[in-house]
Amino acid sequence: MTVHPKRSEDVRVLLVKASDGLLSHAEQTTLDGMMRDDPSLAQELDELRDAKDALAPYGVRDPNPVDWERMEKNLVAQGARGLGWLLVGFGSLFLVGAAVSVLIMRPELPLLVRLAGGAIATGLALLTGYVGYGAAQERQRDPYKNVFR
Amino acid sequence: MRQPAGVAKTDPEQSDDADAEPTLIRRAQNGDRRSLAALFQNYRGGAYRYCLGMLGDPQESSDIVQEAFEAAFRGLPRLQFERGFGGWFYGILRHLCLASLKQNKHRTSGETLAQLQAPDPSPESHVADRRQRQALAECLAQLTPKQREIIVLRELEGLSYREMAQRLELPEGTIMSRLYDARRALRHLIVKHPRLKARTPRGSA
């Protein structure tokens, strides 16, 4: 590779736009002037065009469409289920929390019943934390655990 | 800008109706299956081609596309509308691709690249084209992730500077400057590659 001095961003931008054929008339005049002062710019422009031309006949291959159908089915079901579970989860936690707090706050109820309510609240909090922590750990270990192959 | 017809330099699945997307997102946030499917269909092609160009591995690419959609759909309730689904989704996808590149050595396949025009049907031409694609894929794999990303988006996906700037959330000047570095690095690799040396007529003085 020919070694060129480090170009300023303005020159790099002009050269890239020139290699893509996107220079305005004013930019073209500026670049022509620069090229007269520094002939190595023309060589550099040719190199940029070479790289562009090498990939010109190609694009990235599209996948088999059957894979999309399967993936879409799984993702959409998961997305829709996800919202359902989220609503059910929050609703249930709220209801249980409200019931337990009513139990605990009523002094006319026997102490044992109130203690049981407190135990349920504590147990729920511990379970939620434990399940959340476990899920986060598992996700960290295997980033593709939900990928359907 | 070159906008070739054919395989993959534009996204034929991308909806032209940009106004429809906020509605789609709102419905998808409420668990509407058709809207989730529409978002998936709008972005899957571009997402897959980006991953395949970056990783060169079809299986890994489809896994990462799925992972990115899962993360995006899970996080839909938190989506900020001003960023749009595309910017947000491609941010997730890009993060996953770069993480995967750091973790794994990917198989570089010439099957990553597809010819835009129908190739010459002769067996000799078929073999030559296959070798050429493999060699180019090897060159792409040797670029740094940032250089490869810019080449994939510009040369293989055919995005404009503005589209690339939106996708990568960078100023257009930075995009062009990176493209300059990436093209020069790619050209250097092509000149050095034993099967591609012959195809650099202009700048090989």
Side-chain angles (χ1 to χ4, degrees):
Chain A
M1 180 172 66
T2 315
V3 178
H4 300 291
K6 174 84 176 161
R7 303 291 185 195
S8 71
E9 177 150 330
D10 289 349
V11 179
R12 294 150 75 94
V13 165
L14 280 179
L15 286 171
V16 162
K17 285 178 89 173
S19 67
D20 282 330
L22 294 173
L23 286 182
S24 67
H25 183 69
E27 288 170 331
Q28 185 67 61
T29 309
T30 308
L31 185 61
D32 289 344
M34 286 175 170
M35 281 178 169
R36 274 194 296 277
D37 294 341
D38 180 357
S40 71
L41 283 174
Q43 163 99 13
E44 214 165 318
L45 178 56
D46 281 345
E47 289 177 4
L48 295 177
R49 285 182 177 144
D50 283 343
K52 177 185 164 72
D53 290 351
L55 289 172
Y58 301 104
V60 180
R61 186 172 290 281
D62 273 324
N64 183 343
V66 175
D67 293 339
W68 288 136
E69 276 179 33
R70 189 163 169 239
M71 199 187 287
E72 179 180 324
K73 211 172 148 188
N74 289 327
L75 280 166
V76 169
Q78 219 173 41
R81 272 202 311 263
L83 184 78
W85 282 117
L86 195 73
L87 290 172
V88 167
F90 272 119
S92 308
L93 270 179
F94 180 79
L95 272 182
V96 172
V100 167
S101 66
V102 166
L103 269 181
I104 296 170
M105 301 296 183
R106 294 184 70 172
E108 69 272 21
L109 288 174
L111 181 64
L112 204 60
V113 174
R114 293 167 65 198
L115 281 176
I120 288 172
T122 311
L124 267 178
L126 283 174
L127 280 176
T128 307
Y130 180 76
V131 168
Y133 178 74
Q137 291 288 97
E138 193 177 345
R139 190 148 203 91
Q140 235 174 5
R141 278 197 298 271
D142 179 8
Y144 302 122
K145 77 183 174 71
N146 292 323
V147 171
F148 298 91
R149 290 191 169 93
Chain B
M1 184 192 106
R2 182 171 52 114
Q3 285 291 3
V7 183
K9 301 215 178 185
T10 56
D11 193 345
E13 294 161 335
Q14 191 82 42
S15 166
D16 289 336
D17 188 2
D19 292 339
E21 189 161 290
T23 313
L24 272 185
I25 294 170
R26 274 193 201 92
R27 288 181 183 158
Q29 284 177 325
N30 293 324
D32 178 57
R33 296 170 70 99
R34 284 175 61 185
S35 302
L36 287 166
L39 283 174
F40 175 72
Q41 285 162 14
N42 281 351
Y43 286 95
R44 65 188 186 183
Y48 177 82
R49 290 192 298 270
Y50 170 79
C51 287
L52 188 54
M54 289 293 285
L55 307 175
D57 182 336
Q59 182 61 57
E60 178 78 354
S61 299
S62 77
D63 285 354
I64 285 189
V65 168
Q66 182 164 335
E67 183 80 2
F69 272 110
E70 280 176 12
F73 287 170
R74 258 199 317 272
L76 263 181
R78 297 190 305 274
L79 172 62
Q80 295 165 327
F81 274 85
E82 61 271 19
R83 199 172 170 193
F85 184 81
W88 183 62
F89 171 71
Y90 278 118
I92 296 171
L93 189 72
R94 186 167 179 250
H95 175 77
L96 289 172
C97 270
L98 294 178
S100 173
L101 275 173
K102 273 186 192 167
Q103 283 171 6
N104 304 315
K105 287 196 168 178
H106 296 282
R107 182 172 60 89
T108 303
S109 165
E111 297 308 307
T112 301
L113 300 174
Q115 268 209 326
L116 292 175
Q117 283 88 31
D120 183 341
S122 71
E124 297 82 13
S125 171
H126 182 73
V127 171
D129 169 61
R130 200 185 169 96
R131 284 186 181 155
Q132 173 101 341
R133 280 190 283 129
Q134 179 63 38
L136 282 169
E138 284 165 13
C139 290
L140 281 177
Q142 289 179 62
L143 294 172
T144 66
K146 278 185 182 173
Q147 288 171 343
R148 202 180 317 170
E149 177 174 58
I150 219 91
I151 291 286
V152 165
L153 294 178
R154 177 68 190 167
E155 318 295 9
L156 301 178
E157 281 286 285
L159 297 192
S160 68
Y161 303 143
R162 179 175 295 178
E163 288 167 330
M164 290 163 74
Q166 284 170 349
R167 177 85 68 94
L168 302 178
E169 299 184 323
L170 290 169
E172 278 187 50
T174 307
I175 293 292
M176 285 184 258
S177 188
R178 281 194 187 176
L179 187 55
Y180 168 94
D181 287 333
R183 278 189 180 153
R184 291 203 63 212
L186 178 64
R187 199 264 178 188
H188 176 55
L189 292 166
I190 287 172
V191 169
K192 281 198 330 187
H193 198 290
R195 288 202 300 275
L196 293 170
K197 274 179 186 169
R199 58 154 300 124
T200 51
R202 261 195 303 245
S204 0

